[in-house]
Amino acid sequence: ELKVEQNPLFLSMQEGKNYTIYCNYSTTSDRLYWYRQDPGKSLESLFVLLSNGAVKQEGRLMASLDTKARLSTLHITAAVHDLSATYFCAVDLKGNTPLVFGKGTRLSVIA
Amino acid sequence: DVKVTQSSRYLVKRTGEKVFLECVQDMDHENMFWYRQDPGLGLRLIYFSYDVKMKEKGDIPEGYSVSREKKERFSLILESASTNQTSMYLCASIAIAGGGLNTGELFFGEGSRLTVL
């Protein structure tokens, strides 16, 4: 059974600081996704990582995938308040199976 | 833009009532999913469907059923609502690319927050 673990689950950051959210998964896969959820809203896709070594960047967020370590990271650079949200990683075992989600990391960026 | 529409954003029902949650997507996606989201538990898969009239159980199907009579519509049914089904319900869809693999990006509806009293 595929398990997806994120840490930390809660993160309070100061504006301007850097930090990394980690996503570990238990079964070999090279398909991993990151989603963002704002309070009271649904999930929206951030990154789609489909191979070992994949790296995607959008603004202050950068995601990477190491399939050998079964690890993905979401790196936040010089955090700003607008990044406050809950971030989920999700894994698809075979490319045609339902995504299994981590529990989410609630990020709060404070001045 | 892909749009996944859930019929009700907020519902309040009584224990034992039958509840229908409707989801419609407008981009001809093959695969559709129902998740529930609870604090501290993340998203858990209830049911999914790969095609019209097809359904597969997810991780927590007990107390739920689904219907997919048309490709664009996937309904979640609570036959007899219970208080432990109070939750946020999220519908999602994804397209299939060549080779039977999905395109890698789920599109979610806005969610239906159900309270069962």
Side-chain angles (χ1 to χ4, degrees), chain A residues 75-87:
Chain A
H75 187 72
I76 303 155
T77 301
V80 294
H81 180 72
D82 285 352
L83 291 179
S84 297
T86 300
Y87 294 86

Side-chain angles (χ1 to χ4, degrees), chain B residues 28-44:
Chain B
D28 202 35
H29 284 175
E30 291 83 358
N31 294 0
M32 297 186 74
F33 307 85
W34 276 105
Y35 289 89
R36 68 177 275 178
Q37 183 178 17
D38 300 287
L41 297 178
L43 278 74
R44 293 179 292 166

Side-chain angles (χ1 to χ4, degrees), chain B residues 23-61:
Chain B
C23 175
V24 177
Q25 49 93 5
D26 65 0
M27 284 300 291
D28 202 35
H29 284 175
E30 291 83 358
N31 294 0
M32 297 186 74
F33 307 85
W34 276 105
Y35 289 89
R36 68 177 275 178
Q37 183 178 17
D38 300 287
L41 297 178
L43 278 74
R44 293 179 292 166
L45 181 67
I46 306 172
Y47 266 96
F48 59 103
S49 170
Y50 287 146
D51 203 347
V52 175
K53 298 198 184 292
M54 292 181 65
K55 59 184 179 183
E56 299 282 346
K57 292 180 180 179
D59 299 318
I60 51 164

Side-chain angles (χ1 to χ4, degrees), chain A residues 60-78:
Chain A
R60 300 174 188 274
L61 300 177
M62 184 173 71
S64 65
L65 178 61
D66 180 344
T67 59
K68 294 179 182 177
R70 300 178 189 167
L71 171 69
S72 180
T73 59
L74 180 65
H75 187 72
I76 303 155
T77 301

Side-chain angles (χ1 to χ4, degrees), chain A residues 9-20:
Chain A
L9 297 182
F10 298 93
L11 176 57
S12 182
M13 295 178 62
Q14 280 190 313
E15 282 188 330
K17 298 292 187 182
N18 305 333
Y19 208 84
T20 300

